[in-house]
Each structure stands twice: as C-alpha cells, then as structure tokens.
Amino acid sequence: MSYDLIVLGAGPGGYVAAERAGAMGKKVAIIEKSHLGGVCLNEGCIPSKTLLNSSKHYAQALHGAEFGVTCEGVRFDLPTVMKRKEKIIKSLRSGIAYQMKRYKIDVIEGAGELIERGKVRVGETVYEAANILIATGSTAIRIPIPGSDLPHVLTSREMLQIESLPRRLAVIGGGVIGMEFASFASDLGIDVTVIEMLPEIIPNFDEDIAQTLRKSLASVTFELGAKVVRIDDKQVHVEKDGKAQAIDADMVLMSVGRYPNVKGIGLENLGIATSRRGITIDEQMRTNIPGIYAVGDVTGMMQLAHTASRMGEVAVKVMFGQADRMRYHAIPWVVYTHPEVAGVGMTEGQALQAGRKVTVSKLPMKVNGRFLAENDSRAPGFCKVLVDAETQVLLGVHMIGSVCSEIVYGAAAMIEAELRVRDIRDIVFPHPTIGEVVRDAIWEMH
C-alpha cells in the first residue's frame, strides 16, 4: 500500500504531524508499537501532571487554615489517584484515535523498520510512501552503576505505576523530571533527598529561578555536586567534596535524562546521519536522505512534547511545499512543581555569555493582586524580564509562582514577534490576573 506520508511513532510529534497532513487531504499512515500518544500521554507528561495535581490538592487541604478552610482527617489515597490517572490516559487515547479516524489516517500496530528509501516494514508487510517522518521518541537512562537494576530503583515510567508510597525517596538528578517527582513526594510528607552532580538544580533555567525553587521546597534535602557511586537495598552511596556519604532510601528515582530511540528502526539501511544526541536534522526537519524527516526527542534537539508537535507541523509543511522552519529561541518550558516554574528565551547568564548587553527587571509576585488573593503569605514567586539594552527587544521572560505554565505562552508570542518594550506596554492585560506581572515588570524598566 502506498501513502503520501508514513509516520513512525504516535507521540506528540508523530500524531500531530499525521493530523496536519490528514487535514491537507494527504493519505497518511502512522505506525506505533505501543499506545497512541507515546511517552507523553501514557508514561510522562499527562500521568505525572495528574499525580502532581492530586498532591497539590492534598497539600492545600492540609494548609488551608490561612484561607479560612479547615479540613479534618485529610488523607492521600494512592489507588484512587492511580485509577483517575488511568481514566484520563484512556480518555485522551480515545481522543487521538478519533482524530486519526476523522482525518482518515491508517493506524498500523507494530514496530516499523526502514528498509530502503520510501519503504517501511512492519512484520512481514512492506508499506511505501513518498515521505517518511521518524518520531520514535526517547527512553529513560539508567546509570550503569552497581545496584541500578535493583527492584526499588525506578525510572519515571515505573514511578508512575507505584502501588505504595515510600517513606524515604532518593531522587538521582535535579532536572525537570526529578524536581517534579520531588515536589509530588514532599507535598505528601515523604522524606525526599535530591542528588545532583551539578552545582544547582534545573541547570538550563535562570539561576535566580533555580535557587528560589530549591529554597521553596524547604522539606527536601539537596545534595548538590554529589556523584552516585552505588545503590544497595537501603541506601544510595555518593561522593561529595571528596568524602563518602550514604543516603537512606527505600525507593530511588533515577531521572538523569533520556536517550533517543534510534536503534532497531533501520537508520543504517539508508545511511541516515546521527550524532550522540540523535538523528541529525536541519531547521526544516530534513535528514541527510531526501524524503526522510525526523522530529522530537529522537533528534535530541529539545526534549519537550510541544517542541515535538511544532517540529511535526514544520516537517509536514515543508514536505508538501509550504515554507516554514523551526525557531527554537521562542519555545517555552515549564516545571510543574509546587510552585510552578516557566520561562522562554534567553536567561541572564546565557545573554551575558553571548556578549549581549541586557536590561533586567525583576518583580516579586507579591505585588500582584490575584497572586496575593490566591496564595499564602509565604508563597515565593517573581517574574524576571530581559530586554536588549540597545534595541529594547524582549529577549527572555522567567517566572516562578502559581499558574506560570498558563502565562508563559504570551511571553513566547512576544519573543517570537520580536516585540519591544514600548510594544508590550501598549498591550492590555485583564485585571486581576497573575499574568499582569509580565506587563508590570516591563513597566519597571526605565
């Protein structure tokens, strides 16, 4: 059977690309060996946010006295939370399946392998297409150290399936995934220790943001600049400042990154170029082989679901004759901790390292009416804005505080449009909203 496009992988990069091509009237097939939605829907973004939301509700119920709400007998029921998580996953899977039917996309179950240009084999069947899009995603890394294969050592995938809560959780890795699970567990009163090799958590974020997040998670112990050397049944053994240290833990989360799924899909059959980070692509998602495109985690460019979706859209436009390219500088990122962290564009450190002259404005969230109304008096938060000192063009916006994830897209649009300070000052923000803090921070610049 012949198609205009065959997509390998039904995650956010793959299924969005398939939808866009289907909406153009193209004949499309999508190949998936597991479930529609990929890692994001089934064992990543959606289930983790479901668990985080439940833990936030629990923490708010425990500490509601300041808001005039007192609860007795509050408890966290993990089986109910997990049942709700599965219900949400199944509902969203059904939604994707509906979209595939709506756009007349053939869903092929199985593992796809490229056998030559324009041909993909699934089992004993060979499918042909003018264009092939690789969106096979990534897999969680396990550090090859003694004890990493013990049953109580989990990746994020297994963590989302736990049947009981630990008393002491050790999180190896202070990146986005590690911090989200640390926030989840600490909200439930679990003794959490985060072990990070680098000097600070969430290293790609603004340094002020990272420090504030770390300090806001007051019940979490942080071991920074520490290297894990082995794990046993009861402890994680680390080296820090040249000294050995043992951290008690009855559950260990290994969240040290993800590697691209490039093996077993036939890249070598076509000579598709790869590097250590994944499949090599240009700004239009093209590989070195004509008619073959790649998007999402498998490229190693930026491991975010919304980045993969946008990459899929770019790839489809380009392969069917429309002009487009990927612009990574305006891609927002979020950490769904408690409090939330969000940012887009350059950090202050990146700007200085690039030799850019910048003007910085930093405004506490506590000057914002709605933030004060909805958060307790100790809630941390601020908005940091960077503009080019000469052109006054917005370069970056970084926030910590409630609902930052729902605000940052506006800042991303401003950066994408290269708005200047005077342009943003003319935008009317609804009042009272937490989003007003972005405009107020801009007005603080003189």
Side-chain angles (χ1 to χ4, degrees):
M1 188 174 293
S2 183
Y3 295 91
D4 297 311
L5 170 63
I6 291 177
V7 181
L8 271 66
Y15 77 75
V16 169
E19 285 182 29
R20 301 296 183 262
M24 292 179 180
K26 305 300 180 182
K27 186 171 178 58
V28 183
I30 190 165
I31 301 170
E32 175 55 57
K33 63 181 180 181
S34 184
H35 295 291
L36 291 174
V39 168
C40 176
L41 171 54
N42 297 285
E43 52 192 61
C45 316
I46 301 303
S48 65
K49 303 317 166 275
T50 304
L51 266 61
L52 277 162
N53 186 58
S54 292
S55 70
K56 289 177 183 178
H57 278 301
Y58 175 76
Q60 288 166 347
L62 285 179
H63 306 291
E66 185 172 327
F67 299 90
V69 179
T70 303
C71 301
E72 296 181 3
V74 179
R75 66 188 185 91
F76 186 87
D77 185 61
L78 185 62
T80 300
V81 172
M82 290 298 189
K83 184 177 179 180
R84 179 173 181 270
K85 178 204 70 174
E86 290 301 316
K87 182 179 179 181
I88 291 168
I89 291 171
K90 290 178 181 178
S91 175
L92 291 173
R93 275 187 206 153
S94 297
I96 296 172
Y98 167 77
Q99 289 292 84
M100 298 299 102
K101 290 181 180 178
R102 178 186 177 193
Y103 292 114
K104 300 178 181 179
I105 297 163
D106 291 342
V107 178
I108 301 168
E109 296 182 6
E113 180 187 8
L114 300 162
I115 54 174
E116 58 183 273
R117 276 182 59 179
K119 293 185 179 181
V120 180
R121 181 170 56 210
V122 182
E124 300 299 319
T125 306
V126 175
Y127 301 89
E128 297 185 10
N131 301 282
I132 295 172
L133 178 66
I134 303 168
T136 49
S138 63
T139 302
I141 295 172
R142 279 185 180 266
I143 308 171
I145 57 173
S148 64
D149 57 348
L150 288 170
H152 71 297
V153 180
L154 314 178
T155 66
S156 57
R157 179 181 185 179
E158 296 86 39
M159 190 76 181
L160 291 166
Q161 301 294 333
I162 58 173
E163 297 180 354
S164 61
L165 296 171
R167 289 186 299 114
R168 295 181 299 272
L169 173 68
V171 178
I172 303 175
V176 173
I177 295 173
M179 292 313 304
E180 288 183 352
F181 278 110
S183 179
F184 164 77
S186 64
D187 271 350
L188 302 181
I190 295 168
D191 184 2
V192 181
T193 301
V194 173
I195 306 162
E196 171 58 53
M197 284 187 65
L198 296 175
E200 188 55 272
I201 60 171
I202 52 172
N204 294 326
F205 282 68
D206 181 86
E207 188 175 345
D208 288 345
I209 294 281
Q211 290 177 0
T212 302
L213 176 61
R214 176 167 49 82
K215 292 174 182 177
S216 72
L217 299 176
S219 63
V220 177
T221 300
F222 290 91
E223 297 293 346
L224 304 178
K227 179 183 179 182
V228 178
V229 292
R230 64 184 176 90
I231 306 169
D232 60 32
D233 292 337
K234 297 181 179 180
Q235 293 179 318
V236 178
H237 298 268
V238 305
E239 289 181 357
K240 182 178 179 180
D241 299 326
K243 298 179 181 179
Q245 188 174 333
I247 297 165
D248 294 335
D250 52 318
M251 184 177 289
V252 179
L253 170 64
M254 193 169 286
S255 55
V256 293
R258 304 180 65 85
Y259 61 86
N261 293 331
V262 295
K263 295 182 179 180
I265 58 175
L267 300 183
E268 64 282 358
N269 296 334
L270 280 72
I272 296 174
T274 62
S275 66
R276 290 183 62 184
R277 66 192 304 176
I279 296 174
T280 303
I281 56 170
D282 64 12
E283 63 181 7
Q284 294 179 308
M285 312 300 107
R286 297 175 297 195
T287 69
N288 62 311
I289 305 299
I292 309 292
Y293 300 76
V295 302
D297 286 11
V298 74
T299 69
M301 292 298 294
M302 191 180 278
Q303 293 183 339
L304 297 169
H306 49 280
T307 305
S309 295
R310 175 59 184 150
M311 293 170 84
E313 291 172 342
V314 170
V316 167
K317 283 185 176 181
V318 170
M319 71 178 65
F320 295 120
Q322 298 181 27
D324 206 350
R325 62 183 178 86
M326 195 67 190
R327 298 175 293 278
Y328 297 98
H329 73 285
I331 298 289
W333 55 86
V334 179
V335 190
Y336 295 87
T337 42
H338 192 192
E340 289 185 354
V341 169
V344 60
M346 301 181 86
T347 66
E348 186 176 8
Q350 289 167 347
L352 294 174
Q353 194 172 26
R356 301 287 292 269
K357 293 181 179 180
V358 296
T359 303
V360 179
S361 173
K362 184 177 175 182
L363 197 65
M365 286 286 189
K366 290 180 181 179
V367 305
N368 180 275
R370 186 173 177 186
F371 183 86
L372 275 183
E374 296 186 351
N375 291 273
D376 67 51
S377 58
R378 299 173 302 279
F382 65 85
C383 175
K384 186 174 183 178
V385 173
L386 290 80
V387 301
D388 186 284
E390 296 177 356
T391 65
Q392 294 292 288
V393 170
L394 184 65
L395 297 179
V397 176
H398 308 278
M399 296 174 282
I400 180 167
S402 57
V403 302
C404 286
S405 60
E406 298 294 338
I407 302 169
V408 71
Y409 79 91
M414 295 173 189
I415 290 175
E416 180 74 34
E418 298 182 349
L419 296 189
R420 297 158 297 178
V421 168
R422 68 170 182 258
D423 301 321
I424 300 167
R425 285 177 175 174
D426 289 341
I427 299 173
V428 178
F429 287 62
H431 176 79
T433 59
I434 294 173
E436 287 178 285
V437 73
V438 176
R439 187 172 186 263
D440 291 340
I442 288 289
W443 270 100
E444 285 295 304
M445 292 182 170
H446 300 291

